[in-house]
Every structure is written in C-alpha cells, then in structure tokens.
Amino acid sequence: MEPEKRIDELEARLARIEARLEIPETTSKGADQAPRPAAASPAPAPALVTSVLGWGGAAALVLAAAYLIRLAIDSGWLTPVRQVSLAALAGFALIAAGFALRETQRAYAGLLPAGGIAILFLAIYGAHLYHGILPAAPAAIAVVCVCLASLWLCAAFETDLYALFAVAGSYSAPFLLRSQSSISDLAIYYSAWSVVFCVYASWQGRRRVYLLALYLALIGFDIAWRRGASGDWIAASGFQAFQFAIFGIATGVFSVRRGSPLDAAAAAAHLPPLLLFYFMEYSQLSAHMPVAAPWIAVASAAAVAAIYGGARFALGRPLPGGELILWSYVALVLFHAGYIESVPKAMAPWAAFIIVPVAACATLAGKNGSRSTWPLWLAVALMFAVNYLRIIFDTDLDQVPGRELLSLAYAALLYAGYGFVARRQFHTPKMLLLYMGHVCTMAAALHFLDTRIVQSAAWGIIALACLGVSVWQRDRILGQSSLLVFGATGAKVLLYDLGGAPPIARIVSLVVLGFTFYFGGMLYQRVLGAGTRP
C-alpha cells in the first residue's frame, strides 16, 4: 500500500541520518516501556530567604544564651566567673557545630561560628568591662586570639564575615578594654594589625578586609588621639603617613598578585579613606609645619603615582580604577595644596590662566586620552571659573599685576580653547567656551573704554569680527554666537546709552547701532549660505 511504502522510506532515511550522527539504535518499545524523563529537581530556595533564616536562627541562639544567663543571674546561681565561662563555652559550641555541618553547605553552616565569634567577643568585653575579673593585658591577649581565630574561620568557610569580625574586634579593643597605654603604643598596636590584615587580604584575595581595616585604623586612632594626647602631633602625623604607606602598597600588591586591578566600584570605595588621610595629615602639618605642608602633599601624590605606575608596569595594561584614584588625588593636591594654600591671592588669576594650557598638554601627552582625567579638569575648571568671575565683575583685582591685560588674556585663552576643541571634535562644551570668550571680550571693552558710545561701538565691532571670522573659517557656530553680542549691544544702547544722553550723543548711538546691525545682517546671510560647516 502507498502509505506503508511512504513509512518504510521515512524509516530508512531516519536510519541513515542516525548512522551519520552516530546515534545508538533503540529497540522498539511500547509507549508504556519508553524511558521516562527524570523528574525535575525541586527549585532551590532563594539565597536571600536562606540567609535570613540562617541569621535568624543564629541570632535566636545568641538571644537564648543571653536569656539563660539572665535567668541564672536572677536566681542567684551564676557567679560572674560562671557567666563568662558559660558564654565562652556557648561560643566554642557554635563554632564546633559549624564545623560539624560544614560538609553539607559551607556558607550556610558558617553562620553558626559567626554567632560563636560574636559571643566570644562579648564574653571577653563583659569579663573586663562589667565584672572586672579579667585585667586589661589578658583581655587584650584574648581579643587577639579571637581575631586570629576569626581569620582562620574566614579561610575555612570562605566568607568575609569572620575577617570583618576580626577587623572590628581588633580596632575597637583599645576603646572597650579601657587601656591606659600611650599614643605611641596605640600607634604600634594599630600598625601591627594593619600589616596583618593587609597580608591576609592579599593572601586570601579579600580586598574588603584591608579596606575596612583602613577606615577603622584612621578613624579609631584619630578619636583616641583627640581624646587623650592631642598635643603629640608628631605621633599622629607619623601614624597617618605609615598607614598611607601600608595600605597604598597593599592595594598595589593585591592588584598585581591576584591579577585583579581596581574597577570603578572598588576605586570609589578606596577614595574616601584616601581623602580622609589627606585632610587629617594636612591639618596636622599645616598647623605645625606650614611651609613644608604643601610639598609633603605633593610628595604623597607622587607616591600614589609611583604605586599606580608599578602596578601598571607589572600587569602590563591600563588600570582604569587606579587612574581614577590617581587623578582624583592629584586634582585634590593641585586645588588645595597647590592653589588655595600656596598661591598668593594677587597671583591667583595668572596662576589659573597658566594652569589651563599646562593641564591640556599633560592630558594630551597621555596615551589613548584616558577618560579618568576628569577630576583634574574639574579642579582646573573651578580655579579658572572663580578668577573668570573676578575679572568679569572687576572684583578684588587691585593688587593683581597686569590687571588691565587679564580680560584680554582670558578671552584669548577661551577663543583658543574653542578653536582647539572645534578642530578635534571633542565632546566638550565648546559653545560654553565661545560664549564665555564673548562675555570676557565685552568686559574688556568696558574696562578699557570710558565713553558709553565708544563701548557700544566696540561691542558692535566684536560682533562684526565674529561674523567675519566665521565666513573666513566657514564656521556657522561662531557666526551664530555673534547674535549674543548683537543683542547685548542693542540692549545697552537702548536701555543705557540713550538714558540721560544729549541729542547729539543719541543720534550718534543710533547711527552706530544701525550701521552695525545692517552690516551684521549682510554678513550673517553669508554665514547661513552654502558651504559653511555646521
């Protein structure tokens, strides 16, 4: 029959295909004998839910221990020694339970030792602070042992939680143990832990460990120093510089050793402690070594550049996160130590004028035009903008040498910046540069010329010059920008020049305005004609 023949042909074709694909031949079975697909495994519970449940269970155990101790205290059975001993036993029991369950699910089982570490810290601080049964020295040794155990648990359970416990316990110990040690002893204690955490972070590949240690070291030492020995500025300054060196080197070594340079998020996390160090250190140096403070700030920027350069050389590629940190710190040193603290007020306008081309050359000298230089340009823009406003409004310039040339110099720099940006088609606000140049040129006319009509005529000449250059250079943007100058000229003549002026002056003003606008319109038609580049 025809259908049977068709089925035989299809089966033969299928057999040839299976032979080419090397698919094993299956025996013909009934539908009820066909192998069934494996049952779908149940979907795992969301990680957030399990974490909440795990933390809830660990917290409940800690609270249960606390209530049990409270009950024993109220009944008069627990003495202070028994309270501390039971708390310590409970902590060790939770750590042992975590190891017993580690093979099932390591991260989840690690929540129990986390509770145990917390209980051990509380037991030590309670024995020292509230009961007085543990002197400061043994309590400090116990804290060190618990911190080292936390680092060991961090490696065993592969989670940062224990390392963060160790960091918090180490740097908070001097405050909780009521230590009477000197500020030099505290500096040595903090520095030793900083080295330990930096080495551990690089060894285990956990950047957050040394980062948290950096925050707590700077803040904790500053609080202790201001409370007890605020007069010992040398110890404080030396400690901050040593922390800068420790954590700076640790950042570079971590990136090279782990082959994991800073990304944008990690760089953003490193910037606040770096800025904190800068202002803490500079406040000390400016109060006691005001002449050397800016130079030491420049040296610290050079140290940051050296660390970045070493890491980049070792890894053999650009490091965007490191570049962001480098340029941000350089911008801070340039603006604060270089400009605000070092430049006399009378020389500030000329310093801001010089720094713009210097920054431009430094940026262009870098290969591939890194985008991370924006902090540097932000600092340069702030310096330039402040002095630009001083020049426009002629404010506090009496002591500035060559003040008559400032407005022309700034206008020329802005026009040069517009031309430079326009040729290279940079994504820079070139229109802003152009209009700022026009405003600065008009301000120069006001500063140089005293007669109103002469000032207005100068403004008209500026507008016509813009149109002439725009036709010559075939630059429509420059031609369109002249409308701002034309509008300002017309408004000045009508609202200011004609008010209270004699008839002859009014006639001359209107004639000048009329001719300026008429010839300006002729040139503007040429600007809008064919061939001008948009």
Side-chain angles (χ1 to χ4, degrees), residues 94-229:
L94 288 177
I95 294 174
F99 274 98
L101 300 174
R102 186 173 61 162
E103 300 302 326
T104 58
Q105 191 174 356
R106 177 169 300 187
Y108 192 69
L111 297 176
L112 293 178
I117 290 294
I119 291 176
L120 290 177
F121 274 123
L122 293 175
I124 296 170
Y125 294 142
H128 176 72
L129 292 175
Y130 296 104
H131 299 304
I133 59 176
L134 194 62
I141 295 174
V143 168
V144 170
C145 293
V146 174
C147 291
L148 295 177
S150 297
L151 295 179
W152 174 60
L153 291 172
C154 178
F157 286 90
E158 298 179 354
T159 177
D160 293 343
L161 180 62
Y162 303 99
L164 302 183
F165 277 163
V167 173
S170 301
Y171 291 105
S172 64
F175 299 97
L176 297 175
L177 297 179
R178 297 176 180 175
S179 175
Q180 301 298 324
S181 58
S182 65
I183 198 68
S184 300
D185 293 337
L186 182 63
I188 295 173
Y189 172 82
Y190 270 13
S191 299
W193 275 117
S194 298
V195 172
V196 169
F197 290 128
C198 288
V199 172
Y200 179 84
S202 179
W203 173 41
Q204 291 293 319
R206 303 182 184 279
R207 198 184 289 274
R208 283 181 290 185
V209 173
Y210 79 75
L211 192 57
L212 179 61
L214 173 57
Y215 277 99
L216 295 184
L218 291 176
I219 297 174
F221 184 87
D222 187 69
I223 294 174
W225 173 76
R226 293 182 186 279
R227 284 182 178 179

Side-chain angles (χ1 to χ4, degrees), residues 1-2 18 40 53 61 71-72 106 147 163 192 206 211 232 264 271 301 307 386 408 412 428 463 479 492-493 517 532:
M1 296 176 63
E2 187 66 24
E18 290 177 346
L53 293 177
L61 292 175
L71 178 61
R106 177 169 300 187
C147 291
R206 303 182 184 279
L211 192 57
D232 192 0
L271 278 176
I307 293 172
V386 169
L408 292 178
T428 306
K492 181 177 181 297
V493 170
F517 275 34
T532 53

